Amino acid sequence: MQTNPTHTSLVAVGDSFTEGMSDQLPDGSYRGWADVLAGRMAARTPGFRYANLAVRGKLIGQIVDEQVEAAAAMKADVVTLVGGLNDTLRPKCDMGRVRGLLTEAVERLAPSCGQLVLMRSPGRQGPVLERFRPRMEALYACLDDLARRHGAVVVDLYGAPSLADPRLWGVDRLHLTAEGHRRVAEAVWQALGYEPEDTEWRTPMPASARPGWADRRAADARFAREHLLPWIGRRLTGRSSGDGRPAKRPELLPYEDLARSAADAEPA
């Protein structure tokens, strides 16, 4: 990997993780690691362009159908692809189909860009993760194989101790906080060959006192009411949180446009 490279464009492809959920801005929109990464890259390269095609809730088949061709047509210097994890969390998951769709996505994207970036997504510790761990690890083994065959970079967030810390996860327990997204941006930044800005992004946060029993039960109740039950409801009715939502940033535009929009969102 080239040291301190110069990239002129970035296209991000994926689901809620790449959309940036739980890293909420004052206007209610989401920032996320891809926006943070784009800002860093833009600071080094005048005229830098950025698109983010991610939409929350998307399965890998939807990412292939709705995002991959558009991303490939943009001919960006860097394309990030994160998908398939939503599939592994479904009660019924055909891992053979998931591998086939990931292969299709990588085979289309890798020749169309300067550098394709794949990720082993982070995961919290707990019984839910343990239940789906075999599927997740099968997904990541597929990504490793595709990266070797197509010259992609794999960013290993799954093996980063810091990102397993529940303090870096939002109240929905599915998406990272602003600090978590910042660490992901740093991980991708370094994987692309840039000089580290935080050499300790993998290092766990200092220990803190565990919340008391009553606080934990209150948090569990809030999680069930605001996130778990709605998620179950969507699964039972075949709906997705991303139904009808447009891509976050569908055109490859100068990053300055995004920076101005973020500034407008800041409270007076």
Side-chain angles (χ1 to χ4, degrees), residues 4-266:
N4 289 324
T6 298
H7 296 116
T8 63
S9 53
L10 167 68
V11 175
V13 173
D15 51 32
S16 59
F17 176 68
T18 301
E19 185 182 345
M21 289 186 70
S22 286
D23 183 5
Q24 196 167 32
L25 295 170
D27 67 348
S29 65
Y30 295 103
R31 180 176 52 182
W33 65 265
D35 285 9
V36 175
L37 177 66
R40 288 192 185 185
M41 296 169 80
R44 297 175 59 96
T45 308
F48 182 85
R49 296 175 301 152
Y50 170 52
N52 190 326
L53 308 183
V55 178
R56 67 193 69 174
K58 293 300 183 182
L59 303 174
I60 186 60
Q62 295 170 309
I63 291 172
V64 170
D65 290 343
E66 300 168 14
Q67 299 179 33
V68 166
E69 194 63 32
M74 293 178 183
K75 304 291 183 181
D77 284 352
V78 178
V79 172
T80 64
L81 167 64
V82 187
L85 192 60
N86 283 336
D87 297 78
T88 69
L89 299 177
R90 295 295 179 101
K92 295 181 180 180
C93 173
D94 182 346
M95 286 304 298
R97 181 173 183 272
V98 171
R99 285 191 292 268
L101 288 164
L102 277 171
T103 299
E104 181 181 343
V106 170
E107 288 180 345
R108 183 68 185 92
L109 290 172
S112 74
C113 65
Q115 182 63 65
L116 178 63
V117 177
L118 308 174
M119 290 189 204
R120 290 167 160 254
S121 300
R124 289 182 55 160
Q125 300 299 321
V128 174
L129 177 62
E130 290 304 317
R131 176 183 177 187
F132 296 106
R133 188 182 297 276
R135 291 180 183 175
M136 295 170 64
E137 294 186 347
L139 175 72
Y140 300 152
C142 175
L143 292 176
D144 289 343
D145 177 62
L146 289 169
R148 284 191 295 269
R149 290 194 280 125
H150 296 279
V153 170
V154 178
V155 181
D156 185 15
L157 306 175
Y158 183 68
S162 62
L163 295 178
D165 191 322
R167 290 172 294 177
L168 291 182
W169 293 77
V171 294
D172 66 0
R173 305 182 183 181
L174 288 174
H175 302 104
L176 293 168
T177 62
E179 172 60 15
H181 280 283
R182 184 198 67 79
R183 293 186 183 223
V184 173
E186 179 67 32
V188 182
W189 174 261
Q190 292 184 26
L192 288 170
Y194 291 100
E195 190 71 24
E197 295 189 9
D198 175 11
T199 59
E200 302 296 323
W201 73 268
R202 288 178 172 271
T203 302
M205 298 170 64
S208 64
R210 188 185 186 195
W213 183 89
D215 288 338
R216 296 199 305 274
R217 297 295 78 78
D220 289 343
R222 178 186 177 190
F223 162 70
R225 180 178 65 254
E226 297 182 4
H227 301 286
L228 180 60
L229 292 177
W231 183 85
I232 292 172
R234 290 194 297 271
R235 296 291 81 75
L236 292 175
T237 57
R239 294 179 292 115
S240 167
S241 57
D243 288 348
R245 288 186 177 273
K248 180 177 182 178
R249 184 176 165 87
E251 298 179 72
L252 189 60
L253 296 173
Y255 176 82
E256 287 76 9
D257 294 347
L258 176 64
R260 281 195 294 269
S261 297
D264 292 341
E266 291 293 332

